[in-house]
Every structure is written in structure tokens, then in C-alpha cells.
């Protein structure tokens, strides 16, 4: 008896058009729900941030704060009415979106023109920590917000030759108040920094090409990184804060722009330079789907809390997918 043919990959649930520019950043905001639907924020190469209603499937508002320069990172603060946007204009803007407002109320001047996205760690209202690429090409600056007080600069030892930080992820273990930073570097390595001690706890060589993005599952103490090369790397963190490579997954084509684990930690998605979105089972790293909808590089992926997947592409479209519903 012949084996059953695998099901073809699904079509998108719907597609958002109207950015009129390649899409470089996506972020869901659950706190800004409209009748049970999260809001979706997108950042474009033209410097605009669009706020999308997923119920009406159209843009509600357009924010222009980056002087026509590409928006590379978006993040809302927990209360939902404040948005952070990072642009290639060397500016990180804080927006007040409460009660229909859309004003920039503060900004941080960035020192690095690279592609490295920032990261935040909320440490009890109203304080939060911000990691941004630093002034030196290999540095990461840590700021206390909203005061913009410099906490420290994380600079590798001179002989490490890690190159530029390419991606950052601030986090905190449940059992410790000490903030930690995972950073992926131009030389293909991932490092764990103890922010308070300003020291590298552990570093591993994961990739032969620059690390383009990483995500970390703090409950499983396991992370994943993608690079400009042809492999995804899975790595773990032990109780002594030592990183260890668990394995790699070879891809057909090189180039992962973003990798993100779904909030329920069951599946993950990657944004590929080869125009494809790839979906994997997180625990087993089993390939589940290759979504070939876009006609140009996929540059960002994001999950909503309910499992909805969004992907933004150089083809100026945002695709929304309902895959493997949450149990």
C-alpha cells in the first residue's frame, strides 16, 4: 500500500497590502486588542510604522518618526500603549499611543548604523532595561529606562575578534534577579553576558557566517540561531551558565533573517532570504511546513499569543497564517 501523500502547505489566512515598501519588522500587541484581535505593527524600509487591525484587515494608523530611514525593530511595553521603534536614522523612538495619540515622547540616539536590533527587559513598572548596539563596533550598551541612564558597556576582550553584535536578547532567569544578555556576533558565535558583572559567562561557535537572529526558550534553557549561511543551530544553557551546541539543521538555501519561537514553545518559524517561511517542531526540530507564498526575501516573522503567524517580505506584503492551532 502506497504511503499517503503529504498535505500541500496551506495558503495564507489573509494578506495585508499597503506598506508600499519592503517590510523589515513585525510585532503583535496583545494589550492593544480590538474586539479580541491583537494589533499588528509593521516597520518598513521607507521609515513608516503601520498599525494594522486584523479584524478589519487594514491599516488604522501610520507613524512617521524615522526621516524616511528603514525601521528595523518594533516592541511595545507591557501596558500596551507605548511603542518602541528603531530606525537606520540612528534613532530609537518611544511613542505614546494611548487614547488615539501617536506622538514621539522620547528618543535614544544610537551610535551604530548596523542592522543589530535592540532588546528590552521589563523590570517592574515603570523601569525597564534596554540593550542597544554600542559606539565601538563590537560593543553593546545597556541603558536603564526611561531615565536613559547608562548601566554599562559590554565589550569583548581585545583578542576575541567577535566582530559586530548582530542580534541581542535580554532575559532574566526565574531564580535570579541578575539580567543576562544573549548576543549573536559577526564571527558566527553566540555569547552569554552577565550584565551586572560585565563579563562573558560562556561563548560558543555556532555558525560559519554572521548570526542574523536568535531566540531563547528560558523554560527549556534552550535557544536557536540562524545565520547568513545554510544552517540553524540549536544550543542549550546549563546550570553553570555554560552554552553548548545541541545540533544543527541544514537548510536548502542560505540566509535566515529572523527566527522566532511561538509563545507556547511548541513550534518555531524562520524568515528566509529564499522567499520562504519554514516552520519546525521546537522540541524535535522536525520540519513541519515550507510556506512559499512570497516573491522576494522574507525579512521578519512574528507570532501572536493565539498562535497566528505573520511574515513580512521585501515584496511589500505581510502574510498571516493559522498553523498547528494551540492546544
Amino acid at each position: 500500500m502506497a504511503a499517503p501523500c503529504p498535505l500541500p502547505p496551506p495558503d495564507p489566512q489573509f494578506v495585508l497590502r499597503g506598506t508600499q515598501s519592503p517590510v523589515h519588522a513585525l510585532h503583535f500587541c496583545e494589550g492593544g486588542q480590538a474586539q479580541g484581535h491583537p494589533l499588528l505593527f509593521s516597520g518598513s524600509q521607507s521609515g513608516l510604522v503601520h498599525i494594522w487591525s486584523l479584524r478589519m484587515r487594514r491599516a488604522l494608523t501610520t507613524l512617521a518618526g524615522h526621516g524616511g530611514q528603514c525601521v528595523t525593530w518594533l516592541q511595545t511595553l507591557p501596558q500596551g500603549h507605548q511603542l518602541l521603534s528603531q530606525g537606520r536614522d540612528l534613532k530609537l523612538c518611544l511613542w505614546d499611543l494611548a487614547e488615539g495619540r501617536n506622538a514621539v515622547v522620547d528618543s535614544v540616539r544610537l551610535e551604530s548604523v548596523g542592522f543589530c536590533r535592540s532588546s528590552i527587559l521589563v523590570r517592574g513598572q515603570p523601569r525597564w532595561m534596554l540593550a542597544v548596539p554600542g559606539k565601538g563596533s563590537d560593543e553593546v550598551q545597556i541603558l536603564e529606562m526611561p531615565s536613559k541612564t547608562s548601566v554599562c558597556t559590554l565589550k569583548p576582550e581585545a583578542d576575541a575578534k567577535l566582530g559586530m553584535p548582530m542580534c541581542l536578547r535580554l532575559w532574566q532567569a526565574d531564580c535570579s534577579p541578575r539580567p543576562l544578555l544573549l548576543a549573536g556576533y559577526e564571527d558566527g558565535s553566540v555569547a552569554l553576558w552577565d550584565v551586572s558583572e560585565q563579563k562573558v559567562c560562556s561563548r560558543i561557535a555556532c555558525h560559519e557566517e554572521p548570526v542574523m537572529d536568535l531566540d531563547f526558550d528560558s523554560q527549556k534553557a534552550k535557544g536557536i540561531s540562524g545565520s547568513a549561511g545554510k544552517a540553524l543551530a540549536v544550543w542549550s544553557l546549563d546550570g553553570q551558565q555554560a552554552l553548548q551546541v545541541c545540533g544543527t539543521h541544514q537548510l536548502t538555501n542560505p540566509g535566515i533573517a529572523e527566527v522566532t519561537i511561538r509563545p507556547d514553545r511548541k513550534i518555531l518559524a524562520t524568515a528566509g532570504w529564499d522567499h520562504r517561511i519554514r516552520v519546525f517542531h521546537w522540541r524535535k526540530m522536525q520540519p513541519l511546513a515550507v510556506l512559499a507564498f512570497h516573491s522576494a526575501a522574507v525579512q521578519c516573522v512574528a507570532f501572536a499569543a493565539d498562535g497566528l503567524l505573520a511574515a513580512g517580505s521585501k515584496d511589500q506584503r505581510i502574510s498571516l497564517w493559522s498553523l498547528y492551532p494551540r492546544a
Side-chain angles (χ1 to χ4, degrees), residues 193-275:
W193 288 86
D194 182 315
V195 174
S196 305
E197 298 283 337
Q198 300 178 44
K199 68 172 187 179
V200 174
C201 304
S202 176
R203 181 168 66 90
I204 46 170
C206 299
H207 302 276
E208 296 177 0
E209 300 284 341
V211 182
M212 300 306 294
D213 195 35
L214 62 84
D215 202 0
F216 184 67
D217 177 348
S218 58
Q219 291 198 3
K220 292 186 174 72
K222 194 170 77 164
I224 184 163
S225 51
S227 76
K230 276 187 164 185
L232 293 169
V234 178
W235 30 270
S236 62
L237 183 63
D238 68 17
Q240 281 69 52
Q241 296 187 334
L243 290 165
Q244 184 174 353
V245 177
C246 303
T248 58
H249 181 89
Q250 293 300 310
L251 301 167
T252 309
N253 301 306
I256 293 294
E258 190 163 19
V259 56
T260 184
I261 302 167
R262 197 165 73 176
D264 66 355
R265 300 176 300 283
K266 296 288 177 63
I267 65 174
L268 66 95
T270 65
W273 294 354
D274 64 355
H275 312 179

Side-chain angles (χ1 to χ4, degrees), residues 129-153:
M129 184 173 274
L130 174 69
V132 298
K135 188 172 186 178
S137 63
D138 61 351
E139 294 176 357
V140 177
Q141 187 179 12
I142 307 294
L143 301 172
E144 185 75 55
M145 298 293 287
S147 66
K148 297 193 274 192
T149 305
S150 178
V151 175
C152 64
T153 298

